[in-house]
Amino acid sequence: MNYLEKYSFLPNQAEIDSALALIAQNGHEADAQVLETCFSAMDLTTLKSDDTASSVAALVDKVNAFEKDYPQYPLPASICVYSNFAALVSSRRNNPALHTTVVSACFPTSQSFLQVKLLECRMAVEAGADEVDIVLALNAFLNGDYEAASEEIRSIRRCVDEAAPGRKVILKVILETGLLVSAERIAQASFLAMEAGADFIKTSTGRVNVNATPAAAYVMCQCIRRYTEATGRMVGFKPAGGMSTAEDAVVYYNIVKAVLGEKWLCREYFRLGVSRMANNLLSAMEKRQLAVF
């Protein structure tokens, strides 16, 4: 399948650079409303090799305390953890509006048997995960086997839906744009993931040399726009990896606003994968240095 022909989209680097320069020139500054929107879009993430039940519980407790101590601000969208911590986050959070997000399906490489990936996703959802972030099967995609890469996403989509009767589980597909390298490959992967059932497309795992970039974000948002125009289904966008400052968050806010519009600037369609950024966003909102998370 040539998705670029199907959706009449051929990325051009000069046009991408020009568009990003214009967005930067005309974009919003980090005002209060923009910062709060970005804060509410955070998937507050801990994905360390030395994560423990105690350390994850401590993070959940910090978010619970934040809701009491800063009632004027929205909650982050979710806490993002490894699949084995899904039950802990779901049971310990005070407010179910704070979603439990897991990275699953053999994150971060997606190098394993499909049956293993399906079992991990199913177990995470049965343990309470509201959202599942998986990595595109680059072993198939980069080998030109788009059908195998697509079928894996479709299989995981069916799996998480069957594991959660009566509730919607959000599926995010990580493209690992730093390994795709070219705008054309990023676009092909974006359309493939959306057609296979992704609710969000996400830039990166944060585990490779190049993670989220404005150029990759711009291409992905252009793909989302064209897909939505063709199908009527809105798909979300999540940059992750390599972001730490409030200014970084505003860069991606401005790209989403310019390409997709105001309707996407909510936690239903815009997320930020963050760890270090959380305190920096809160400090910018409060105009004083804080270390809450």
Side-chain angles (χ1 to χ4, degrees):
M1 167 73 72
N2 188 325
Y3 296 100
L4 304 188
E5 288 184 2
K6 179 175 181 178
Y7 290 95
S8 301
F9 180 51
L10 185 61
N12 177 282
Q13 193 59 53
E15 292 177 3
I16 294 168
D17 293 342
S18 176
L20 288 172
L22 187 61
I23 291 169
Q25 178 181 338
N26 297 331
H28 286 270
E29 298 297 327
D31 63 29
Q33 179 269 319
V34 171
L35 291 171
E36 285 194 25
T37 297
C38 291
F39 190 89
S40 71
M42 292 192 308
D43 287 342
L44 188 58
T45 301
T46 179
L47 297 173
K48 296 179 290 191
S49 296
D50 60 352
D51 282 341
T52 64
S54 297
S55 66
V56 172
L59 178 60
V60 180
D61 290 346
K62 288 176 182 178
V63 180
N64 289 338
F66 171 82
E67 187 175 26
K68 292 191 299 181
D69 296 340
Y70 296 89
Q72 70 273 32
Y73 295 133
L75 276 173
S78 80
I79 292 177
C80 180
V81 294
Y82 286 114
S83 293
N84 48 303
F85 295 117
L88 189 160
V89 174
S90 296
S91 63
R92 199 173 184 93
R93 63 187 172 179
N94 286 344
N95 189 337
L98 175 73
H99 280 190
T100 300
T101 295
V102 298
V103 294
S104 199
C106 302
F107 176 95
T109 64
S110 193
Q111 295 281 15
S112 190
F113 302 102
L114 177 57
Q115 293 91 332
V116 174
K117 299 177 189 181
L118 294 174
L119 179 60
E120 184 184 2
C121 290
R122 178 178 296 280
M123 291 177 69
V125 171
E126 290 175 345
D130 304 297
E131 309 186 9
V132 176
D133 290 18
I134 66 170
V135 181
L136 173 69
L138 292 177
N139 50 14
F141 183 87
L142 293 177
N143 210 39
D145 193 346
Y146 291 175
E147 177 55 32
S150 177
E151 178 55 31
E152 180 166 301
I153 297 170
R154 292 195 296 268
S155 296
I156 293 172
R157 171 85 271 173
R158 290 191 294 269
C159 173
V160 299
D161 289 343
E162 291 168 1
R167 66 185 177 97
K168 168 66 176 176
V169 175
I170 293 169
L171 179 65
K172 308 192 199 85
V173 177
I174 304 164
L175 307 185
E176 203 68 291
T177 54
L179 297 182
L180 298 179
V181 181
S182 73
E184 290 80 7
R185 272 183 169 171
I186 292 169
Q188 289 274 24
S190 297
F191 289 125
L192 182 154
M194 290 187 287
E195 285 203 352
D199 297 304
F200 276 75
I201 52 176
K202 175 178 170 181
T203 60
S204 321
T205 62
R207 302 303 181 86
V208 297
N209 290 334
V210 177
N211 291 288
T213 65
Y218 179 81
V219 171
M220 291 170 69
C221 287
Q222 286 285 355
C223 293
I224 291 170
R225 184 170 69 81
R226 284 164 170 77
Y227 176 83
T228 300
E229 289 171 351
T231 67
R233 185 171 79 93
M234 292 174 66
V235 173
F237 170 65
K238 177 179 174 180
M243 308 180 304
S244 61
T245 68
E247 289 76 15
D248 290 336
V250 174
V251 166
Y252 292 102
Y253 174 101
N254 286 332
I255 292 170
V256 170
K257 185 176 188 299
V259 178
L260 294 171
E262 296 277 0
K263 287 194 298 183
W264 264 264
L265 292 173
C266 59
R267 66 175 63 192
E268 286 75 23
Y269 299 107
F270 176 47
R271 296 292 179 85
L272 295 162
V274 308
S275 52
R276 294 172 297 163
M277 183 187 284
N279 284 321
N280 291 333
L281 269 173
L282 182 58
S283 297
M285 289 156 62
E286 281 285 295
K287 297 182 172 58
R288 60 193 175 103
Q289 197 62 41
L290 292 170
V292 172
F293 300 108

